[in-house]
Each structure stands twice: as structure tokens, then as C-alpha cells.
């Protein structure tokens, strides 16, 4: 497992306590899991994605990430409607391990209240949660 | 890592090699290396994998009544066990529950060895001592005094041959569950590595695939490990952790002690061959501890293998449920792992090692394992395994991973 100081935690995304990241681009938010989450899970073998046009409230479970070791639920960082899912993960779920902020993104949503993003954690605050 | 965990002599090697470490049976053991558990699992099916199993314990049982004590304490009929052969079974208490599962090795008429699970050397030795009574027998717990590595997969013999002295003799007439040599020096018919290290080579393992367990003195195991990896490099041998060991054994239908067998009567399970049952199946061929409890087991639950419809898993233990077609909860999940080397093709399970694979077949992996249920399910019966909100569909299976190699003749793998 990686030490906390070995984690890749970009500055240009926001984080959640549930180890997801979100990135705002216009009125669309891209969601994925963090380097910490993928490292803890180990080799990811399956990602259960929601359907496009599904709507979820903040904190709702929207999918699962399955590694050889464990199954982990993913929770909505903010309320919204799914506009796109990363279909590449169906054949290559390991992209979440190898490229969690780029090719291994999970889905894109249209948030109900885009300003909710501001309330999420920045890198320093997320690091504090990891250090406990 | 908690400081009270024990380590094997290979612990520094694991850590230097990027292993993801975890506690297992009181030992700090590798779950997988940076190659990843999927590649490790597939390596055993396609070529060979190397496992550090030095956390397991050996117990020597010697003396005029060694056989009599083992007959009383082990579930297998041992009277016909030939010298140089070994056999799998269980050690039961008077309730018929499993203290541990164990392989018995017959070295000589008054010299036997038990190989038990991690951390169980003390408990099983104490149990044997308690059952010894007036028998003339010596019990010696060799926990941490013998190291072991398992090489598993179709290239195991060819790789091992490169570091063995006289491999042709060692591999000549070596059936499944036989062994040669000794981890101690000075035995009659030693098996030695090219560097003169004494080893015991047993044609067994915990993957369902052809291969060997190699017992060796602890101070020799690192060089044995490194020379095997070196000898197997060109053919794709890689180090494998406990993750791949668990998924391979689940696909092979083998139980994990204290999980699939444990504190329940050792009946109604897929490993009935491990009991000294009479030919009509109604009784036992010998007296042994736990026998009366097993004969009175009308209310005992059933341990049943399953295979999932895809690779999705659920957790295990008392928080899980097994739901039948009528919606009734009939039990819980004992083991659920994903065999990444198998997949469904037209309703049939195929392995990446199956012959004549149909074009375009891709093994996407299937979940598999064992459930503990309160009635005997039918073969092929559909069940739902549930953990909180998560559900997966499975069917009751007989065999899971097809075309396994463990039992094939050694001559298939030495040419």
C-alpha cells in the first residue's frame, strides 16, 4: 500500500470523505475515485456503473467498485443526473487503478446545484481526513 | 503492520518486491505483489506461480504408537497409507468439529508428519498430546523450524528440474500425493538441490493445479525461492500472494480451514472423501475422535459449492444471507472469491487452460465459493447471495474450474 505522502492528489479537483474526486467543467461534473481508494481496493476487476439519465441525491449509492479483495460502494458527492458513464471501464476496469483521475473516471453528472462543489474538500482538507 | 505479527524468512523479500502485506494466521504475509493478483492467478493456470507457505506448521509424530494416535485423531483411514505417500483429512474434537485440516505424511513405519495451517502447530500438538493417553508416541511441534514454498502450475516440474540434483530420479514415479526426500540432512534417500540443500518435495498443493510443495530448512528458503524464480523466469514463473492462492483454491473447490470447515460437524460437505467411510457410506472403517458426533448428525447443515453468473462477489460470514427461489433465507456465505481464469460459454464453464477453446472466448472471471445452508440444495439450483443491499445470482455447482491439472500424470509435465 502507498504511504500518504506517495499518493497522487491533484490540486485541481475536489474530494469527499468517501474517497471520490469531482472536477467541474462548465456545468458538468466528472466523478472518480481517488488514488487512496484505488490503492486500498487493490486490483479492480469490475465497476458497476449507473445508467445515463439516472438521478441521485447527495450521498446516494450510485455504483460499486469491485476489486479482487473487496467490494466498495460509491456515493454521490452531490445531487444530480448522470449524463455519461465511462464505458471503457466495462472492458478495462483496471483503468481505475492505472489512471484514476484521467482514463479511469467513473461518470459525468449534471449537478442540481453546481455551487455544492465548493463545499467539498480541497487537497489539504482531504489529506487531513486520511491522516485521521 | 502490528508488531506482534510473526514473519517468515521471506518477509524482507516480499516487502522489497512491492508486496501488499496483510495479517494471515498470525503472520505478516503477501496478499499480492506489484504484478497484481489477476496476473498471479493466471500465471498458475498458464505457466507456474511460486507461493511462500512457510507460515504453515509441521508436527512430527514418532514412536511405536504414532500410527495408532493418528488413526484416532485424523479422519482418514491411515492403515493403508504407504511410505512416501501423504493424505488430506481433518483433525476433529469430540463434537466432530474441525480443529484444523491436515495432511499426514508417512516417512517410515514409526515416523509420520502432519502439515497444518498457519498458527495451528501449537494447538494441534497440544490436542495430540491430550489424546495420547498411554500410547508410546512423541509429538514435536516444528512451527517456524521448517520453511515451505509451493510451486504450482504446468511448468512446475520443468522449472524445479533446473535446480534439482538428479531430477529424473526424483520425478520418476511420483504420483499425486506422494513425496520424496526430507528437509533434514542425513536421510536414506535424500532429495537435494544442485547446491546440496536437502528438501522434501511433495506432489500436492492448494491450487487444484499440477505442482509441488517444497519443505526446506528456514535458513535455505530464501535461496531456494530466488533460484526457483531465476530458473522459471523465461517460462513466466512469478511470485504469487495469498490473494491468488485463495481464488485458485476456491475455483478448485478446496476448503479454507476455519472458514469452510471449522466449528461445525465435518459432514454434508464436498470433501467426504476425507473421511474413513465404509463402502456403503453408512459407517466408518475405524474408531476416531468425533466419530459418534458424526454418526449423529441428522441436523447438521450442508456446505455447498456455488458459481456466480459473472465475476461479482459478496462478502462472507454471518452478515450474509443465502436466499432460495421461494425467497427464504437458508444460510450464509462461507467463501466468495473470483476465479479470474474462467468464464461462461454457451452455459458451460471454460478455463483459459481448457483444450480447444472456441474462437473469441474471453475468460472474464466468475465468482465462486461455498455456502452453508440448512437444507440440501439441488445441483444447478439457483440461489441469491445477499450482503446488505448487494445481491448476486449463483447456482449450486459441482465442479467449478474445469480442466485442472493437479491429478494428471507427472509425465505430462516433465517432457
Amino acid at each position: 500500500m502507498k504511504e500518504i505522502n506517495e499518493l497522487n492528489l491533484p490540486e485541481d479537483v475536489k474530494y469527499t470523505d468517501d474517497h471520490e474526486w469531482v472536477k467541474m467543467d462548465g456545468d458538468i461534473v466528472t466523478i472518480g475515485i481517488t488514488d487512496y481508494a484505488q490503492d486500498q481496493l487493490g486490483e479492480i476487476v469490475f465497476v458497476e456503473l449507473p445508467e445515463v439519465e439516472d438521478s441521485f441525491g447527495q450521498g446516494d449509492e450510485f455504483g460499486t467498485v469491485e476489486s479482487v479483495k473487496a467490494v466498495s460502494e460509491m456515493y454521490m458527492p452531490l445531487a444530480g443526473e448522470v449524463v455519461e458513464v465511462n464505458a471503457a471501464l466495462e472492458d478495462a476496469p483496471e483503468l481505475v487503478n492505472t489512471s484514476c483521475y484521467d482514463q479511469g473516471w467513473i461518470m459525468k453528472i449534471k449537478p442540481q446545484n453546481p455551487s455544492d462543489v465548493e463545499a467539498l474538500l480541497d487537497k489539504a482538507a482531504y489529506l487531513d481526513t486520511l491522516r485521521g | 503492520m502490528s508488531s506482534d505479527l510473526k514473519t517468515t524468512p521471506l518477509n524482507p523479500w516480499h516487502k522489497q518486491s512491492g508486496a501488499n502485506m496483510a495479517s494471515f494466521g498470525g503472520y505478516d504475509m503477501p496478499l499480492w505483489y506489484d504484478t497484481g493478483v489477476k496476473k498471479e492467478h493466471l500465471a498458475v493456470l498458464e505457466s507456474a506461480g511460486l507461493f511462500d507457505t512457510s507460515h504453515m506448521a509441521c508436527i512430527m509424530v514418532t514412536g511405536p504408537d504414532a500410527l495408532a494416535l493418528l488413526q484416532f485423531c485424523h479422519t482418514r483411514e491411515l492403515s493403508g497409507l504407504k511410505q512416501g505417500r501423504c493424505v488430506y483429512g481433518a483433525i476433529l474434537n469430540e463434537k466432530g468439529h474441525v480443529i484444523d485440516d491436515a495432511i499426514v505424511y508417512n516417512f517410515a513405519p514409526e515416523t509420520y508428519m502432519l502439515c497444518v495451517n498457519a498458527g495451528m502447530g501449537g494447538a494441534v500438538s497440544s490436542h495430540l498430546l491430550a489424546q495420547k493417553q498411554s500410547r508410546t508416541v512423541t509429538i514435536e511441534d516444528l512451527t517456524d523450524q521448517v520453511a515451505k514454498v509451493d510451486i504450482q502450475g504446468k511448468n512446475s516440474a520443468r522449472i524445479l528440474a533446473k535446480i534439482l540434483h538428479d531430477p529424473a530420479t526424483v520425478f520418476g514415479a511420483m504420483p499425486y500425493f506422494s513425496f520424496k526426500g526430507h528437509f533434514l540432512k542425513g536421510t536414506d534417500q535424500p532429495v537435494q538441490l544442485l547446491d546440496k540443500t536437502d528438501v522434501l518435495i511433495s506432489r500436492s498443493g492448494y491450487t487444484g493445479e499440477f505442482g509441488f510443495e517444497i519443505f526446506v530448512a528456514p535458513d535455505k528458503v530464501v535461496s531456494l525461492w530466488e533460484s526457483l524464480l531465476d530458473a522459471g523466469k523465461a517460462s513466466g514463473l512469478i511470485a504469487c500472494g495469498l490473494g491468488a492462492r485463495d481464488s485458485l483454491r476456491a475455483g478448485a473447490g478446496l476448503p479454507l480451514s476455519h472458514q469452510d470447515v471449522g466449528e461445525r460437524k465435518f459432514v454434508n460437505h464436498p470433501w467426504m472423501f476425507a473421511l474413513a467411510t465404509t463402502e456403503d457410506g453408512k459407517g466408518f472403517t475405524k474408531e476416531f475422535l468425533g466419530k459418534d458426533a458424526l454418526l449423529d448428525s441428522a441436523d447438521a447443515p450442508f456446505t455447498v459449492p456455488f458459481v456466480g453468473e459473472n465475476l461479482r462477489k459478496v462478502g462472507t460470514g454471518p452478515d450474509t444471507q443465502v436466499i432460495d427461489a421461494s425467497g427464504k433465507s437458508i444460510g450464509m456465505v462461507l467463501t466468495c472469491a473470483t476465479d479470474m481464469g474462467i468464464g461462461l460459454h454457451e452455459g458451460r464453464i471454460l478455463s483459459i487452460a481448457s483444450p480447444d477453446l472456441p474462437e473469441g472466448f474471453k475468460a472474464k472471471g466468475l465468482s465462486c465459493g461455498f455456502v452453508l445452508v440448512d437444507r440440501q440444495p439441488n445441483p444447478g439450483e439457483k440461489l441469491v447471495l445477499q450482503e446488505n443491499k448487494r445481491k448476486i445470482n449463483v447456482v449450486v455447482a459441482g465442479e467449478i474450474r474445469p480442466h485442472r491439472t493437479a491429478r494428471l500424470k507427472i509425465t505430462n509435465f516433465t517432457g
Side-chain angles (χ1 to χ4, degrees):
Chain A
M1 304 251 191
K2 292 185 183 180
E3 300 293 333
I4 286 178
N5 60 15
E6 295 171 336
L7 293 172
N8 173 17
L9 299 173
E11 303 276 1
D12 63 343
V13 303
K14 291 279 198 173
Y15 297 91
T16 74
D17 289 342
D18 296 319
H19 310 293
E20 282 142 19
W21 58 263
V22 307
K23 188 173 184 181
M24 195 84 182
D25 185 14
D27 60 349
I28 299 298
V29 165
T30 304
I31 297 171
I33 70 168
T34 67
D35 192 29
Y36 175 82
Q38 72 77 20
D39 185 55
Q40 289 285 315
L41 280 165
E43 195 169 352
I44 290 164
V45 293
F46 188 73
V47 182
E48 190 176 15
L49 298 163
E51 305 272 343
V52 171
E53 294 183 2
D54 281 353
S55 279
F56 297 96
Q58 188 169 24
D60 287 357
E61 183 185 328
F62 68 87
T64 54
V65 184
E66 190 154 335
S67 70
V68 172
K69 183 174 69 167
V71 179
S72 179
E73 287 82 25
M74 295 182 285
Y75 301 98
M76 289 297 276
L78 58 176
E81 182 186 315
V82 180
V83 296
E84 190 181 347
V85 296
N86 186 357
L89 300 182
E90 282 174 30
D91 277 337
E94 65 274 13
L95 289 173
V96 179
N97 293 117
T98 55
S99 177
C100 64
Y101 300 104
D102 186 21
Q103 289 173 287
W105 61 279
I106 305 288
M107 65 170 182
K108 296 182 182 183
I109 67 164
K110 190 165 180 174
Q112 230 165 48
N113 302 305
S115 59
D116 287 350
V117 173
E118 297 310 312
L120 300 177
L121 307 174
D122 61 14
K123 176 180 176 175
Y126 180 58
L127 268 172
D128 284 344
T129 69
L130 295 181
R131 291 193 180 106
Chain B
M1 181 195 132
S2 132
S3 58
D4 53 9
L5 279 183
K6 295 169 83 167
T7 56
T8 74
L10 284 159
N11 191 271
W13 191 95
H14 301 319
K15 288 182 170 164
Q16 281 157 23
S17 308
N20 193 326
M21 306 293 289
S23 161
F24 181 83
Y27 286 78
D28 184 42
M29 296 299 288
L31 286 179
W32 54 77
Y33 301 87
D34 51 11
T35 41
V37 65
K38 182 178 174 181
K39 284 202 180 103
E40 294 169 19
H41 180 112
L42 299 181
V44 172
L45 300 184
E46 289 173 324
S47 174
L50 191 61
F51 300 81
D52 176 16
T53 49
S54 304
H55 57 318
M56 295 177 72
C58 295
I59 301 165
M60 294 306 299
V61 182
T62 52
D65 296 329
L67 176 61
L69 178 64
L70 289 171
Q71 276 283 60
F72 185 64
C73 291
H74 191 268
T75 55
R76 272 319 256 273
E77 178 53 64
L78 301 172
S79 60
L81 182 67
K82 292 180 194 156
Q83 227 169 295
R85 295 295 184 100
C86 49
V87 70
Y88 171 83
I91 313 263
L92 307 184
N93 61 21
E94 69 284 353
K95 289 191 283 186
H97 295 190
V98 177
I99 296 170
D100 202 13
D101 61 2
I103 293 181
V104 180
Y105 288 79
N106 180 357
F107 282 83
E110 296 184 4
T111 308
Y112 290 80
M113 182 178 83
L114 280 175
C115 184
V116 299
N117 286 277
M120 291 305 295
V124 172
S125 297
S126 305
H127 172 75
L128 293 176
L129 266 178
Q131 300 300 328
K132 173 170 129 33
Q133 296 168 349
S134 61
R135 294 184 185 96
T136 308
V137 54
T138 304
I139 296 146
E140 191 185 0
D141 175 11
L142 297 182
T143 294
D144 299 332
Q145 295 172 50
V146 186
K148 180 165 85 72
V149 301
D150 295 8
I151 184 168
Q152 302 273 291
K154 63 183 180 186
N155 286 330
S156 298
R158 285 184 279 261
I159 294 164
L160 183 52
K162 293 186 187 173
I163 67 161
L164 270 184
H165 173 71
D166 196 6
T169 302
V170 176
F171 293 150
M174 196 175 198
Y176 190 44
F177 273 86
S178 68
F179 69 97
K180 290 180 183 174
H182 203 300
F183 45 85
L184 297 177
K185 281 198 180 304
T187 47
D188 292 348
Q189 292 172 304
V191 172
Q192 292 188 323
L193 306 182
L194 288 172
D195 67 5
K196 305 279 187 215
T197 300
D198 285 86
V199 290
L200 185 163
I201 295 181
S202 173
R203 231 205 95 184
S204 49
Y206 192 48
T207 62
E209 301 304 328
F210 174 81
F212 306 92
E213 299 182 65
I214 309 168
F215 299 73
V216 66
D219 61 341
K220 303 287 187 188
V221 70
V222 174
S223 77
L224 167 62
W225 177 269
E226 288 179 336
S227 43
L228 278 171
L229 282 175
D230 198 38
K233 204 170 188 175
S235 45
L237 175 72
I238 56 173
C240 300
L242 294 181
R245 189 165 160 84
D246 193 54
S247 52
L248 285 159
R249 69 93 188 171
L254 302 173
L256 176 59
S257 193
H258 310 287
Q259 183 168 307
D260 301 310
V261 299
E263 288 187 12
R264 67 190 81 95
K265 286 182 184 173
F266 190 60
V267 287
N268 299 344
H269 53 64
W271 313 288
M272 294 303 280
F273 63 84
L275 282 164
T277 317
T278 50
E279 271 182 37
D280 64 5
K282 289 178 184 158
F284 297 105
T285 59
K286 64 170 189 177
E287 285 303 317
F288 62 97
L289 190 63
K291 176 182 172 180
D292 293 343
L294 297 191
L295 287 171
D296 175 27
S297 53
D299 56 348
F302 294 80
T303 303
V304 179
F306 68 85
V307 61
E309 61 182 351
N310 56 36
L311 53 64
R312 295 180 61 225
K313 292 187 299 291
V314 289
T316 59
D319 293 340
T320 58
Q321 289 186 304
V322 179
I323 319 256
D324 70 8
S326 69
K328 192 166 171 261
S329 172
I330 60 169
M332 67 170 185
V333 184
L334 297 173
T335 281
C336 186
T338 298
D339 188 326
M340 294 302 299
I342 59 176
L344 282 172
H345 178 77
E346 295 174 356
R348 209 158 58 96
I349 304 174
L350 293 176
S351 145
I352 54 167
S354 293
D356 307 320
L357 280 179
E359 204 164 315
F361 170 76
K362 196 179 165 211
K364 290 186 174 172
L366 296 173
S367 60
C368 56
F370 304 100
V371 291
L372 184 70
V373 288
D374 55 24
R375 66 168 174 82
Q376 170 102 64
N378 301 312
E381 182 174 337
K382 290 179 180 171
L383 298 170
V384 173
L385 310 189
Q386 185 166 0
E387 180 194 22
N388 303 318
K389 284 192 294 179
R390 186 179 173 80
K391 294 177 183 177
I392 64 169
N393 297 319
V394 306
V395 296
V396 173
E399 292 283 293
I400 300 168
R401 188 172 70 247
H403 303 110
R404 300 193 303 275
T405 52
R407 293 163 190 274
L408 300 181
K409 280 196 172 143
I410 195 167
T411 45
N412 288 293
F413 305 103
T414 46

